[in-house]
Amino acid sequence: MVELAKRGLAEAFAKRAQEIAQAEGLDGKPLPAYLELVRQNRNNMRAVLQAIQLGEMMDYLGDQ
């Protein structure tokens, strides 16, 4: 098992996740929100991408 949290990869994962969300038209949140998503999912990029696919990073008018 590789402890990714201890390797400082969360920010890189967050940036890549945001890039993917933007390319797919599923973006709307700032980078800190992606960083929090990565942390909540313990640096599991598959789980992060699934959350993005489900629309968790969309900026709905009701969120404001």
Side-chain angles (χ1 to χ4, degrees):
M1 179 184 281
V2 178
E3 295 288 335
L4 296 178
K6 295 180 181 175
R7 298 192 181 272
L9 296 176
E11 189 170 333
F13 283 2
K15 287 179 183 177
R16 182 63 183 138
Q18 186 179 39
E19 290 171 0
I20 292 168
Q22 289 170 343
E24 296 296 325
L26 297 170
D27 176 52
K29 306 267 179 164
L31 185 59
Y34 285 89
L35 188 54
E36 181 59 29
L37 181 65
V38 169
R39 288 182 177 149
Q40 287 174 356
N41 286 286
R42 298 177 166 180
N43 291 341
N44 181 328
M45 193 64 163
R46 180 180 291 186
V48 169
L49 294 176
Q50 287 175 336
I52 290 169
Q53 185 178 20
L54 291 172
E56 284 191 33
M57 302 313 287
M58 296 291 294
D59 194 18
Y60 298 107
L61 294 175
D63 286 351
Q64 297 176 0

